[in-house]
Each structure stands twice: as structure tokens, then as C-alpha cells.
Amino acid sequence: MKTKSRIEFGDFQTPLALAREVCSRLQAEGITADIVIEPTCGQGAFLVAAAEYFPGAKLFGWDINQAYVEEATKELKQIGVLKRACVACQDFFAHDWESELQQMPGRLLVLGNPPWVTNSVVSAMNGSNLPAKENFLGLRGIAARTGKSNFDISEWMLIRLVRALRGREATIAMLCKTATARKLLRYAWQNDGRIAKAVLYQIDAAAYFGASVDACLLLARTGSAGPETANVFDSLSAAKPSVRMGLAGQDLVADIVAYRRMRHLEGLCPFQWRSGVKHDCAGVMELRPARGRNFENKLGEVVELETKNLFPLLKCTDLANGHTIPERFVVVTQRRVGDDTTVMAETVPRTWRYLQSHRKKFEARGSRIYKGRMPFALFGIGDYAFAPWKVAVSGLHRAPTFRVIGPVKGKPVFMDDTCYYLPFEQESQARLVADILNSEPCRQFLQSLIFVGVKRSVTVDLLQRLNLSAIAEEAGLGKQWRALERTDYKTSQLVPQLQLVMESAHQTAKGASPKHVSARYGRGDKNVSQVADKVGLEMPK
Ligand SMILES: C[S@@+](CC[C@H](N)C(=O)[O-])C[C@H]1O[C@@H](n2cnc3c(N)ncnc32)[C@H](O)[C@@H]1O
């Protein structure tokens, strides 16, 4: 297959050694089969291994690629099992799985390795290897536009198979991305998919497929509903599971045992977590100070800009490494989503000309969220982004550390969209909340929620689950937290930003403003203004 087709068809053929290892583990788990089905059989490694490990079983294999069908047939002929095998060219999406699977008698094993490609990659290639109804999970509106409707083709295929097997006893044993296995289980657990038992065995995708993704063998028994948990083994040969994941409410958690011990720390966070500013044009929008009053962008151009629309910027690695003194700036073109950006032609003409000179790059921004928006539009922008104090965390690091970020010469520091933050008006509020979030109970609770190997391990949904009040009590910060809570957000002049972010807060009693100021975060955070001095930059308010 040519490279383009290989990508569109998610073509990563399983080495025979791995297919054998999988079948050996299935056998060790006591799984037997009268019929083995390989829905996308490729060159037939799983059919060959199944022929060896399940000697009495009939073998059915399908693939969209005729050349592979011929190769698989040849392999099965060579080992003398063609009589009990049936291999044919067939598009998975055109297959009537319900009637096929329901009418097959005996013990059924669905085995294999579905394509490793996402719908957006197929679409971008103008490919046709997609299910008919692309928006199959019912994601609409903003979710579809922001990429939540991006899914792995294998996820769709697995869900299709689980639906077709609903109520019928069978074993599914499929290699797939670990993220796909989780999504399938969440779907099945939430939609009465009748999974009696599920187990994940991690595999080394780099060694077997040269792919740097977290992958696993998903083993699931269908037919009746079982516990909404799955043991996770570190390898196909591991004797004991390393952890047990499971469904907790609407979401999966990485360690369901630890989660259940600490679930009292879960609740509705009274503050609204925000994601950092999104511009998708880092080459132009992010600049470092250069000589004099100049700035250098990521394209290597040195430009002189007004400082009015420049704000200090931190990224996720800065937050993860504790580098809270910004060394770069971001051009902020709007105060709120939808603001008219053309006013910049008058207010900051040099900046406007600079952006105009790169207009094509902005117009080429891939994300659909920018379509029909103002030129140079941003997302993740609102009054909250201009709050002087923030408690910020990287979204891409597994062990979250929450940093207190203060203003630089009166200018609020921005985070990019790899980060999340809570905005505050006062340093003392930010420091107390950061203390609570960095406390040991919170750290442990977060560890129970976060999956290893996930790219964006921290999300707004996850942060929003932190019950700051319960965590504060457990961390010995209850008194300070209650003082903060007692603050009347509606009337206090001291905490307008809290009022702004308290979108879902339930506040009643009046009380004193918070007094707590933590020393835990060191002096570094207070010295953020040094960057302005360092670059000789005047930072107007
Ligand atoms: C990741 S490879 C795995 C092949 C085989 N299952 C194995 O384990 O070696 C995915 C296979 O799916 C096949 N495929 C992709 N899209 C398909 C479709 N719509 N219908 C059937 N097969 C498809 C590809 O041709 C490829 O052989």
C-alpha cells in the first residue's frame, strides 16, 4: 500500500509474534472459541495465530484491501487451515454486523486490530474511509467545532461491534489505542452496552508498530452488564493488575479504588476554571523582547510594536517547571470574544500593520472556530483573562502543580491554551486557593482521576470536579477557606473578580474579606516585574 492509503486506512499490520502473544494470553485466561472473527484482518497475523491457539475454531476474516485478503488467504493455506477459514474483501462500514453476529452459533471471539486513524485525518485527506454518519456520538455545536467530535475510526468500529453484540455472549479482544479502549468502555458503561467484564493489557506500541502512542489489548466479555470497572495490566505477561480504572458518575477515573476512598473531595468547584488564550498563530502572536523597544517573533522577524496590546505570556512548561517569570509576550487583540479588532488600526497602528502583514497566516488557521470571526480573533478571552492574580496549572503534565501568577508592572500575565487557571482580584485569595490545590489530599485525589499517558491529562472538566471546601477541610485550611467563602461576593469592593468567576457559586452569608497569605510559593512569583526591567520595557497600565 502507498503511504497515503496506509494513513487513510490506519494500516499498521500486527507482527505475528504479537498476535501469538495475544492469543496465548487469551488462552491463559481460559477463553475458548468456536468461531473467530477478524473484522479488518489485513495480512492475516491474527487469523494465523488464532488457527494455532484455537484449533477447532472456524475463522472469518474481512478487509477492505483485496491484496491483503489474498495474502491472508495464502498464509492460511500455507499452514493448512484454509478449509475452516473464510476470508473476503469487505468494507467494515457496509457490513451488517447485527445479523452476522447474532446468527453465528457457539462461542464467539472477535479478535484483531482495527485501523489506527482519526476521522479528521481521513477528512483532511479527502478520504472516504468513514462511517456514513460521521457525527455518530451526537456531538453538535461547539463540541463539534472545537474537535470533541474528532474520534478514532477504531472507536467507531468497536462501538459498532459492541452494539451488534448487545445481549449476545462473546469475547472481544482488540488491539487499539488505550484512549480508544477507555472511550469504548465509557460508552458501553453509560449506554447499557452489557459488558460483563473488561480488562486492559498495555502493549509496547513503539516496539511493535513504531508508533508513539499508548496502546493496549482490550479484552471484553459481552452479553450481560457487569461492574463498571476494568483491571489494567502493565503488559500481556503481567501476573497482577497495576490499577483498576472505572466509571465514576459521567467520567472515567484512573484508579477507582483510590477514588472511592477520596470521593468526598469531589463536588462542584465554586469557581469557574478557565483555559488560556487561544490564537493558533504562535509565529506572529508570540514575541520575545529584542534590542531597544523591539520584539522578535517566532518567525525571526524583529518588529517595533506599541506595548498597549502586549501582555506577558506563560506556557505549560513554564508552569510545570516553576518558571513563573514571563519571558515572552502575546498580542492580545480583544478584551472579549467578538470584540471589534479593527479599532486597533487607530489605537495601535504599528501593531495593526504588523498583524495585517501576516493576515494570510491568520486566515489559514485550521480550526473552524475562527470562521466568520473578526480578523485576528482570539478565544479564551474575557474580563477574567485580565484579572491581576491567577492560580494556573499546566494541562499537559501529569503531576499538576498550581502556581500563583501575579501582574508584571500592573499588567496581568496571560497563559496560553495549554494551561488552565482561576482568576483572582487579590493575591491573598490566589495564594490560599493555590495552597488548597497543592495540598496532599488534593494531589492524591487528582492522581486517582488522571490517566497515565494521556496528552492533556488536566482538563477543565477535571478541575471543575474539585470540591475546594472539602479539600480545604482535609488539608487543615478549613478556617481560612471559610473566611474566604464568607466574603460577600456581590457587594465587596475587594473581590470583584471573584464575583465575576462565581458563575455557579452558592454564596449567602456576609463576612470578612480573607486574611490568609501563604509564603509557600516563594519569592519568585513576586519578582515577575523583573522581566519588564530586564528588557527595558515600559508596561503601561
Ligand atoms: C491496523 S491494520 C491491522 C490489520 C490486521 N487486523 C492486523 O492485526 O494485522 C488495519 C487494517 O484495517 C483495514 N481497514 C481499514 N479500513 C477498513 C474498512 N473500512 N473496512 C475493512 N477493513 C479496513 C486496513 O486495510 C488494515 O489492513
Side-chain angles (χ1 to χ4, degrees), residues 28-41:
E29 294 299 319
I31 289 156
T32 51
D34 300 314
I35 294 179
V36 176
I37 286 184
E38 223 291 30
T40 58
C41 67

Side-chain angles (χ1 to χ4, degrees), residues 3-79:
T3 312
K4 184 170 178 284
S5 318
R6 279 200 64 193
I7 294 171
E8 180 183 346
F9 291 94
D11 187 2
F12 289 82
Q13 299 294 310
T14 309
L16 184 56
L18 176 58
R20 284 187 173 130
E21 238 187 284
V22 167
C23 289
S24 162
R25 181 80 202 209
L26 297 181
Q27 203 178 52
E29 294 299 319
I31 289 156
T32 51
D34 300 314
I35 294 179
V36 176
I37 286 184
E38 223 291 30
T40 58
C41 67
Q43 293 164 319
F46 271 110
L47 291 173
V48 169
E52 295 167 2
Y53 282 84
F54 306 104
K58 283 190 182 145
L59 309 166
F60 290 88
W62 293 279
D63 201 280
I64 199 162
N65 183 337
Q66 178 62 33
Y68 283 169
V69 168
E70 284 161 24
E71 280 179 56
T73 309
K74 204 168 113 199
E75 295 294 326
L76 294 169
K77 191 174 176 191
Q78 247 172 28
I79 59 166

Side-chain angles (χ1 to χ4, degrees), residues 373-444:
R373 300 275 170 181
M374 279 283 155
F376 322 118
L378 304 175
F379 279 85
I381 195 83
D383 288 340
Y384 52 85
F386 295 83
W389 290 92
K390 292 175 177 121
V391 174
V393 65
S394 160
L396 306 189
H397 292 79
R398 192 175 173 253
T401 305
F402 297 85
R403 309 282 179 190
V404 175
I405 309 296
V408 175
K409 296 254 167 153
K411 273 207 150 178
V413 173
F414 275 60
M415 260 54 73
D416 77 2
D417 63 347
T418 58
C419 310
Y420 300 104
Y421 65 90
L422 290 174
F424 292 97
E425 195 63 24
Q426 292 182 359
E427 178 179 1
S428 58
Q429 298 159 346
R431 291 201 177 274
L432 171 61
V433 171
D435 275 355
I436 295 169
L437 290 166
N438 285 319
S439 69
E440 190 56 21
C442 189
R443 195 192 63 75
Q444 283 183 19

Side-chain angles (χ1 to χ4, degrees), residues 19 51 60 75 83 88 97 108 116 167 180 189 210 215 217-218 221 264 346 362 386 393 402 425 445 493 497 515:
F60 290 88
E75 295 294 326
K83 268 198 182 146
W97 290 104
L108 184 61
W116 296 33
T180 300
W189 287 333
L217 170 71
L218 166 69
R221 288 285 303 157
H264 58 284
E346 298 229 327
F362 287 90
F386 295 83
V393 65
F402 297 85
E425 195 63 24
F445 183 52
Q493 295 302 303
Q497 192 61 36
K515 299 278 186 295

Side-chain angles (χ1 to χ4, degrees), residues 421-533:
Y421 65 90
L422 290 174
F424 292 97
E425 195 63 24
Q426 292 182 359
E427 178 179 1
S428 58
Q429 298 159 346
R431 291 201 177 274
L432 171 61
V433 171
D435 275 355
I436 295 169
L437 290 166
N438 285 319
S439 69
E440 190 56 21
C442 189
R443 195 192 63 75
Q444 283 183 19
F445 183 52
L446 280 170
Q447 288 308 306
S448 79
L449 300 177
I450 296 174
F451 287 95
V452 183
V454 172
K455 196 172 166 219
R456 198 169 278 262
S457 44
V458 176
T459 62
V460 165
D461 288 351
L462 179 128
L463 293 165
Q464 218 57 56
R465 292 168 77 166
L466 299 175
N467 180 342
L468 291 184
S469 174
I471 297 169
E473 294 298 337
E474 193 129 329
L477 294 166
K479 201 169 143 221
Q480 295 93 320
W481 171 258
R482 286 191 297 279
L484 179 80
E485 262 197 321
R486 276 197 304 276
T487 308
D488 185 338
Y489 299 109
K490 292 214 170 68
T491 55
S492 171
Q493 295 302 303
L494 294 170
V495 285
Q497 192 61 36
L498 271 181
Q499 182 185 348
L500 183 75
V501 299
M502 294 292 290
E503 288 180 352
S504 51
H506 176 69
Q507 299 297 331
T508 46
K510 293 193 177 188
S513 61
K515 299 278 186 295
H516 176 86
V517 178
S518 164
R520 187 182 296 187
Y521 301 97
R523 305 243 160 252
D525 296 342
K526 291 193 170 173
N527 289 341
V528 285
S529 63
Q530 282 173 350
V531 70
D533 299 335

Side-chain angles (χ1 to χ4, degrees), residues 113-397:
N113 173 10
W116 296 33
V117 65
T118 61
N119 66 327
S120 54
V121 169
V122 176
S123 304
M125 297 171 75
N126 287 325
S128 58
N129 196 26
L130 289 170
K133 198 174 173 212
E134 193 184 309
N135 218 355
F136 78 110
L137 283 180
L139 289 166
R140 285 185 196 90
I142 189 72
R145 273 183 279 134
T146 53
K148 275 197 179 172
S149 62
N150 185 25
F151 59 86
D152 281 89
I153 297 294
S154 57
E155 182 190 342
W156 194 93
M157 289 181 170
L158 286 167
I159 288 180
R160 186 82 187 75
L161 291 168
V162 165
R163 276 187 187 167
L165 286 168
R166 198 162 167 275
R168 190 224 194 273
E169 274 188 24
T171 302
I172 296 177
M174 289 285 201
L175 296 181
C176 57
K177 287 186 198 166
T178 313
T180 300
R182 285 191 210 115
K183 285 184 195 162
L184 181 269
L185 290 176
R186 180 171 57 188
Y187 173 85
W189 287 333
Q190 287 181 338
N191 294 281
D192 190 21
R194 310 216 183 145
I195 299 288
K197 188 182 171 191
V199 187
L200 268 60
Y201 301 91
Q202 303 286 353
I203 63 151
D204 187 347
Y208 287 116
F209 297 102
S212 57
V213 291
D214 260 39
C216 71
L217 170 71
L218 166 69
L219 178 58
R221 288 285 303 157
T222 63
S224 56
E228 290 162 351
T229 63
N231 277 338
V232 181
F233 290 76
D234 286 342
S235 71
L236 279 167
S237 56
K240 285 187 181 163
S242 54
V243 73
R244 191 187 311 163
M245 57 168 274
L247 188 68
Q250 289 302 300
D251 274 307
L252 295 178
V253 297
D255 183 343
I256 191 82
V257 179
Y259 168 81
R260 283 177 181 155
R261 214 175 43 240
M262 292 182 284
R263 67 183 353 155
H264 58 284
L265 302 183
E266 183 167 31
L268 188 63
C269 178
F271 306 131
Q272 179 63 50
W273 281 93
R274 303 289 181 178
S275 117
V277 67
K278 181 174 171 65
H279 49 66
D280 288 305
C281 203
V284 179
M285 295 291 259
E286 294 178 14
L287 303 111
R288 284 178 184 274
R291 275 192 313 277
R293 298 181 70 82
N294 292 329
F295 297 90
E296 183 173 351
N297 68 16
K298 292 182 113 183
L299 308 170
E301 298 168 346
V302 176
V303 285
E304 197 185 336
L305 303 177
E306 299 89 349
T307 53
K308 187 170 188 280
N309 288 51
L310 291 182
F311 287 79
L313 177 74
L314 290 172
K315 291 172 165 260
C316 66
T317 37
D318 298 327
L319 296 179
N321 298 330
H323 297 151
T324 52
I325 303 175
E327 290 182 350
R328 48 173 95 71
F329 297 86
V330 61
V331 184
V332 177
T333 56
Q334 293 169 308
R335 182 152 186 119
R336 298 192 184 92
V337 171
D339 274 359
D340 183 2
T341 52
T342 60
V343 293
M344 292 172 69
E346 298 229 327
T347 56
V348 282
R350 281 201 303 271
T351 307
W352 180 250
R353 280 197 299 277
Y354 166 68
L355 294 176
Q356 286 286 1
S357 72
H358 291 292
R359 199 176 178 122
K360 284 214 161 69
K361 291 191 184 64
F362 287 90
E363 285 166 2
R365 291 187 286 187
S367 179
R368 278 182 287 167
I369 58 173
Y370 299 109
K371 295 277 173 297
R373 300 275 170 181
M374 279 283 155
F376 322 118
L378 304 175
F379 279 85
I381 195 83
D383 288 340
Y384 52 85
F386 295 83
W389 290 92
K390 292 175 177 121
V391 174
V393 65
S394 160
L396 306 189
H397 292 79

